Amino acid sequence: MSRRRHSDENDGGQPHKRRRTSEPIEIEDRLESLICRVGEKSTSSLESNLEGLAGVLEADLPNYKNKILRILCTVARLLPEKLTVYSTLVGLLNARNYNFGGEFVESMIRQLKETLKLNLYNEALYLVRFLSDLVNCHVIAAPSMVAMFENFVSVVQEEDGPQVRCDWYVYAVLSSLPWVGKELYEKKDVEMERILNQIESYLKRRQKIHVPMLQVWTAEKPHPQEEYLDCLFAQVQKMKKDRWQERHILRPYIAFDSVLCEALQHNLPPFTPPPHSEDAVYPMPKVIFRMFDYTDAPEGPVMPGSHSVERFVIEENLHYIIKSHWRERKTCAAQLLSYPGKNKIPLNYHIVEVIFGELFQLPQPPHIDVMYTTLLIELCKLQPGSLPQVLAQATEMMYMRLDTMNTTCIDRFLNWFSHHLSNFQFRWSWDDWSDCLTQDLDKPKPKFVKEVLEKSMRLSYHQRIVDIVPANFSALIPANPIFVYKYMDESSSSLPGYPVTIAISNAIINRSSNDEILTILKDVPNPNQEDDDDEGDSFNPLKIDVFLQTLLHMAAKSFSHSFSALAKFHEVLKSLTDSDEGKLHILRVVYEAWRNHPQMISVLIDKMIRTQIVDCAAVANWIFSPDMAHDFTRFYVWEILHSTVRKMNKHVQKIQKELETAKEKLEKQHSRRKDSGDEEEDKNSDEEDGPLEEQIERLQEKVESAQSEQKNLFLVIFQRFIMMLTEHLVRCETGGVDFNTPWYKNCIERLQQIFLMHHQTIQQYMVTLENLLFTAELDHHILTVYRQFCALQM
């Protein structure tokens, strides 16, 4: 029943009873709304809103204490951008009701333990930061916070824990100090000095071989790409040197100092970090993305330096806003542009740097790539006079630094840029990039422009791309995406199999069945076979050539026509691809016919994998085959390979989930039988279990088979990489030339990309990879990539 009906029914006993039962729910909803919305735009000041809300909550504590505790603990965990607002609110409540303050601190500690147990390390980080800010609000006594930090830092003394575990506890301490460092140093300077010395000692001995794998740029100029803990420690050290001064954290509790300093404080219960367990998944290390400094924003406020703690605070807050609102691009853009203190900083530069920092984050961005594109478009709409210029400046800077940019980040850059251009009529000052026309086409700049135009064509059409680009860029304009049919006309009549193509073409027009097509194909001579060889079932490339070329040519009008053709003649295609050679050859034919249309190649191969005409290992072998050497460094090839690996991974996950569901079902049946204790039901249950146990057995076999296929796919990919890279290195060494060519950079970074993009799956097969492929005898250039990957979860 709706609330409106409750309020309308004002006579008779029953409706009043209903109203009374709904009132608590309405009050709880109102409390949640009031707490969640405090700190948003309002006609009153934040201080008066906080004081008013504290009064309301205090009045409701007798009846709704548990609800209020639950809401406050949740916002502390999920709304970190309003951390100081909520810590002030808790401070005001603690000053009015000491017991409530104690219960809140206990709830927070319970929640911290729970989040660590569940591997929710980001949320745990926000809780630690919130607890530390409660010291400023006189809720928690400084000595007990220092004791907690000492326990956190003691983790670095553990002998058997992974480095990523120590990293997280050190980061939790360091990242809280911008908020509470001053207060803790005033009260416990000796202990804090000892903590920072321990951290410094740990940072000096810590392994950092993973860093090159995570850097967006390999060059240290103009902006060093620092490891996140080193950067944060430098920022904290500078803050300490500046006597813990910072100017960017909103601190509403200062206005209530006279009230808060009278409050009684609580000691944190002793907190021991939970021991390391095998199923713990710690956050991966990061590299801090830097694109701008104060020289890039010449007008207006000065951008804080990379080692000033203000830079850390601003970036953290912008990351919070994106994390909270990423699903609603309009809200997210508006929140970013209304950042508190925006007049003291070049906000547009910070926003653009943070967004690209997330987009280029390795191994994966926090959110889907397209979100960042739509967010930047929205920001351009809201700030048409200033933000597009900053974005253009950023694009220009990234283009200028393509030579040292990570290949995975170049992929994301070109995806973003082509999508962005498509929303602004593909307008761009192409002449500014004419320097790429004098370079070898394998170099990053011409390659990037060519790939951007090709990607833009997917979002438009060929003639449009020809029209928007200056004539001197013609060498970089993608080919017209037309089908290349080698049996096109009479001039092809001398080609083997030409008469059969006419018969196949007529059979398709006359809607012949799969069997009739196969009968026609029986007469095709096998170029791999001697005349006196009677083995008719061996692999015949000409059969695949004549059939698939003709079929795809007749269906070349659209994706839909091609999909229908593959579906209609699925049986023929399956029979032609019985062998591994057949699968490889079918991929060669698709490439030859559609070599001017990479998108068509991608979608056809995707369809063929789904319909099991080809398998994932065949696609991997084809990509690394000599036939593809010409296109090996092109973007679409790696798009196909990653899509293939993802399909394989999803297939394994799907069967594993089915197996888990079946096991749970059996478990439920057993527990139900145990609870009932009925002998008759026992007999029935045994009959019920039979089919289920058979199903589990079948699924178990399917899982093992799928995992074996998955492992084989990764072995094929890594083996081919090793062969190609080793051949290149040996060739260069023999010829006395530099091995570090554009091809080598692309290939070695594609190897890194495979490791990073599919790291969770690859970790299952580390032992096999180490024993079979990444052995000590391998060239150190290739082995370094493997060791960098291993270091990510050390």
Side-chain angles (χ1 to χ4, degrees):
M1 189 179 276
S2 73
R3 290 177 194 155
R4 187 173 295 147
R5 280 190 65 189
H6 287 181
S7 56
D8 288 344
E9 291 168 348
N10 51 13
D11 54 350
Q14 188 63 31
H16 281 295
K17 278 186 186 171
R18 278 192 206 135
R19 189 188 305 139
R20 276 201 296 277
T21 56
S22 74
E23 263 174 19
I25 297 165
E26 288 186 11
I27 292 169
E28 286 178 9
D29 289 349
R30 183 174 62 84
L31 288 172
E32 191 168 324
S33 173
L34 285 170
I35 293 170
C36 291
R37 288 170 60 189
V38 70
E40 292 177 8
K41 276 189 178 177
S42 164
T43 49
S44 313
S45 70
L46 175 59
E47 287 75 14
S48 65
N49 284 341
L50 280 169
E51 199 163 6
L53 179 56
V56 170
L57 296 180
E58 187 195 7
D60 282 325
L61 277 179
N63 298 322
Y64 301 100
K65 183 178 71 181
N66 289 342
K67 177 70 177 176
I68 292 167
L69 273 173
R70 201 160 55 245
I71 297 168
L72 287 172
C73 285
T74 305
V75 293
R77 195 179 83 243
L78 300 180
L79 296 178
E81 67 270 28
K82 294 203 277 187
L83 182 155
T84 55
V85 173
Y86 291 122
S87 61
T88 307
L89 179 60
V90 172
L92 291 171
L93 285 169
N94 179 61
R96 295 167 187 225
N97 188 324
Y98 176 75
N99 289 340
F100 175 79
E103 286 183 54
F104 177 77
V105 171
E106 283 172 19
S107 296
M108 288 287 282
I109 291 293
R110 268 199 308 275
Q111 195 170 209
L112 177 59
K113 287 177 180 172
E114 194 61 30
T115 50
L116 289 172
K117 198 164 116 188
L118 296 170
N119 290 326
L120 299 170
Y121 287 97
N122 273 345
E123 292 183 13
L125 194 67
Y126 304 149
L127 293 173
V128 172
R129 214 170 280 176
F130 195 97
L131 287 167
S132 69
D133 202 42
L134 289 179
V135 173
N136 296 320
C137 303
H138 298 271
V139 176
I140 290 174
S144 70
M145 195 73 226
V146 173
M148 182 192 239
F149 283 169
E150 283 173 334
N151 285 343
F152 273 29
V153 174
S154 70
V155 170
V156 305
Q157 308 299 336
E158 293 175 355
E159 287 179 12
D160 53 349
Q163 181 173 290
V164 281
R165 169 178 164 83
C166 302
D167 286 356
W168 186 85
Y169 283 100
V170 166
Y171 185 74
V173 173
L174 286 177
S175 65
S176 299
L177 294 182
W179 280 264
V180 75
K182 186 180 182 185
E183 190 76 11
L184 297 184
Y185 245 84
E186 283 174 4
K187 304 264 174 44
K188 288 279 180 181
D189 57 335
V190 176
E191 290 85 346
M192 286 303 295
E193 198 62 51
R194 191 165 58 240
I195 286 172
L196 286 181
N197 288 338
Q198 274 182 284
I199 290 174
E200 186 172 20
S201 162
Y202 167 69
L203 293 181
K204 280 178 182 169
R205 68 174 189 269
R206 155 177 190 267
Q207 292 286 330
K208 282 185 277 194
I209 56 173
H210 58 272
V211 173
M213 199 176 218
L214 301 177
Q215 284 177 319
V216 175
W217 287 293
T218 51
E220 286 297 300
K221 290 181 178 179
H223 309 296
Q225 306 296 301
E226 291 177 285
E227 217 272 347
Y228 78 125
L229 278 180
D230 290 346
C231 183
L232 179 55
F233 187 70
Q235 289 166 333
V236 168
Q237 288 289 67
K238 186 177 183 305
M239 189 188 186
K240 179 188 161 197
K241 191 179 167 190
D242 296 341
R243 300 186 179 187
W244 301 98
Q245 297 301 314
E246 65 72 42
R247 296 179 300 280
H248 281 277
I249 296 176
L250 177 72
R251 297 184 187 266
Y253 36 77
I254 292 171
F256 300 104
D257 194 49
S258 57
V259 177
L260 297 176
C261 69
E262 297 294 318
L264 292 169
Q265 292 173 302
H266 304 270
N267 284 318
L268 284 170
F271 183 88
T272 308
H276 171 62
S277 65
E278 285 306 310
D279 56 352
V281 183
Y282 301 101
M284 276 193 179
K286 292 181 295 195
V287 167
I288 300 299
F289 178 76
R290 288 276 177 263
M291 185 162 56
F292 297 127
D293 60 27
Y294 67 95
T295 60
D296 298 308
E299 295 169 15
V302 177
M303 184 175 240
S306 62
H307 282 168
S308 76
V309 84
E310 283 84 2
R311 188 77 167 254
F312 171 75
V313 170
I314 293 162
E315 285 166 1
E316 278 291 282
N317 287 331
L318 294 175
H319 285 303
Y320 291 159
I321 292 169
I322 295 171
K323 191 175 189 298
S324 295
H325 304 288
W326 69 274
R327 287 182 181 84
E328 294 290 337
R329 66 183 192 281
K330 288 179 188 289
T331 310
C332 191
Q335 290 286 338
L336 287 170
L337 291 172
S338 57
Y339 176 74
K342 60 184 177 183
N343 299 324
K344 295 189 280 183
I345 54 169
L347 182 61
N348 288 344
Y349 283 89
H350 283 290
I351 289 173
V352 168
E353 186 176 71
V354 162
I355 289 174
F356 279 120
E358 285 201 9
L359 177 60
F360 295 148
Q361 187 176 312
L362 295 167
Q364 298 284 10
H367 312 293
I368 55 170
D369 296 15
V370 76
M371 188 282 290
Y372 299 103
T373 313
T374 56
L375 179 57
L376 285 166
I377 291 166
E378 205 57 47
L379 287 162
C380 287
K381 287 179 187 173
L382 292 176
Q383 291 272 30
S386 57
L387 207 132
Q389 290 87 319
V390 177
L391 200 49
Q393 186 181 340
T395 307
E396 187 65 35
M397 289 168 86
M398 289 189 282
Y399 169 78
M400 295 308 292
R401 298 177 67 186
L402 278 170
D403 288 353
T404 59
M405 197 175 195
N406 184 297
T407 300
T408 305
C409 298
I410 293 177
D411 285 354
R412 294 181 198 169
F413 178 27
L414 76 87
N415 269 332
W416 163 75
F417 187 54
S418 52
H419 189 175
H420 186 82
L421 287 178
S422 72
N423 281 271
F424 295 94
Q425 289 95 46
F426 295 98
R427 287 198 302 267
W428 186 251
S429 47
W430 296 104
D431 287 325
D432 293 351
W433 288 0
S434 55
D435 63 322
C436 72
L437 301 174
T438 57
Q439 296 182 11
D440 181 3
L441 289 178
D442 283 342
K443 291 282 175 69
K445 285 182 182 177
K447 197 164 184 51
F448 173 77
V449 173
K450 190 173 166 55
E451 293 284 10
V452 163
L453 294 175
E454 193 168 279
K455 195 79 199 220
S456 298
M457 193 169 73
R458 294 191 186 187
L459 304 165
S460 180
Y461 52 95
H462 185 258
Q463 191 54 46
R464 179 80 198 279
I465 302 303
V466 173
D467 294 342
I468 60 164
V469 176
N472 57 337
F473 276 74
S474 58
L476 303 179
I477 292 173
N480 196 6
I482 52 172
F483 188 88
V484 181
Y485 186 40
K486 68 179 184 184
Y487 304 105
M488 178 61 83
D489 47 35
E490 295 298 321
S491 61
S492 318
S493 56
S494 59
L495 289 174
Y498 178 75
V500 184
T501 62
I502 295 166
I504 293 283
S505 180
N506 290 332
I508 292 171
I509 290 166
N510 295 324
R511 303 189 175 188
S512 297
S513 67
N514 281 260
D515 289 341
E516 287 165 330
I517 299 279
L518 285 168
T519 307
I520 298 169
L521 289 172
K522 267 187 182 171
D523 301 331
V524 177
N526 190 343
N528 290 346
Q529 230 171 269
E530 298 299 325
D531 291 340
D532 57 351
D533 187 355
D534 290 335
E535 284 186 43
D537 287 338
S538 65
F539 160 61
N540 185 341
L542 193 54
K543 271 188 187 181
I544 296 174
D545 257 6
V546 295
F547 176 67
L548 193 56
Q549 274 262 351
T550 308
L551 180 67
L552 292 178
H553 175 243
M554 295 181 78
K557 193 173 180 183
S558 69
F559 293 139
S560 306
H561 285 77
S562 299
F563 291 169
S564 298
L566 293 180
K568 188 170 181 183
F569 297 102
H570 184 259
E571 196 184 313
V572 177
L573 291 164
K574 283 287 280 182
S575 72
L576 293 175
T577 54
D578 262 356
S579 62
D580 288 344
E581 298 106 310
K583 291 182 175 71
L584 264 178
H585 195 70
I586 209 168
L587 292 165
R588 282 190 206 110
V589 174
V590 170
Y591 172 69
E592 283 167 17
W594 278 120
R595 60 178 173 270
N596 294 330
H597 196 340
Q599 189 183 8
M600 182 63 92
I601 297 173
S602 299
V603 296
L604 286 178
I605 290 174
D606 181 274
K607 195 71 174 173
M608 285 175 167
I609 294 170
R610 285 173 193 272
T611 52
Q612 296 177 356
I613 294 167
V614 297
D615 56 37
C616 297
V619 175
N621 277 315
W622 166 71
I623 282 172
F624 288 94
S625 68
D627 305 312
M628 290 300 290
H630 182 262
D631 277 8
F632 186 71
T633 59
R634 287 182 66 183
F635 172 73
Y636 83 91
V637 170
W638 299 97
E639 196 177 39
I640 291 170
L641 186 63
H642 289 297
S643 167
T644 303
V645 175
R646 276 196 299 271
K647 263 184 200 56
M648 184 78 252
N649 296 348
K650 279 181 182 172
H651 172 61
V652 174
Q653 285 162 9
K654 182 172 170 261
I655 305 169
Q656 282 172 332
K657 198 172 179 184
E658 283 173 16
L659 178 62
E660 281 163 25
T661 308
K663 282 180 176 176
E664 280 169 19
K665 203 172 171 185
L666 186 66
E667 188 63 39
K668 277 179 190 170
Q669 284 187 13
H670 285 174
S671 59
R672 197 169 61 236
R673 192 184 335 170
K674 201 185 284 181
D675 293 345
S676 70
D678 189 332
E679 284 181 29
E680 191 60 42
E681 196 170 312
D682 269 11
K683 288 176 191 170
N684 295 340
S685 294
D686 285 340
E687 287 170 21
E688 273 181 47
D689 286 355
L692 205 49
E693 282 166 353
E694 282 172 27
Q695 187 192 351
I696 288 170
E697 213 170 293
R698 278 197 309 274
L699 285 169
Q700 195 78 53
E701 285 171 16
K702 276 176 83 175
V703 166
E704 284 166 18
S705 165
Q707 282 177 332
S708 167
E709 211 179 318
Q710 185 183 51
K711 189 202 288 187
N712 179 51
L713 174 62
F714 282 114
L715 286 172
V716 165
I717 291 170
F718 289 128
Q719 190 182 37
R720 296 295 183 272
F721 262 121
I722 290 168
M723 284 164 64
M724 289 181 85
L725 285 164
T726 307
E727 281 171 21
H728 171 81
L729 291 164
V730 169
R731 198 164 51 243
C732 291
E733 196 179 334
T734 312
V737 293
D738 184 12
F739 69 87
N740 198 7
T741 61
W743 180 91
Y744 173 78
K745 178 184 181 292
N746 189 290
C747 192
I748 203 88
E749 287 180 0
R750 290 296 182 191
L751 174 59
Q752 287 179 351
Q753 186 183 43
I754 294 286
F755 274 121
L756 287 174
M757 283 184 74
H758 311 288
H759 63 97
Q760 286 162 324
T761 312
I762 293 169
Q763 273 161 1
Q764 301 167 39
Y765 306 121
M766 295 285 272
V767 176
T768 309
L769 290 174
E770 204 157 315
N771 292 340
L772 295 181
L773 299 176
F774 295 97
T775 56
E777 297 79 48
L778 194 60
D779 186 286
H780 74 95
H781 294 97
I782 307 168
L783 199 54
T784 299
V785 175
Y786 179 71
R787 287 180 177 151
Q788 286 169 351
F789 171 68
C790 294
L792 288 176
Q793 283 292 349
M794 265 170 52

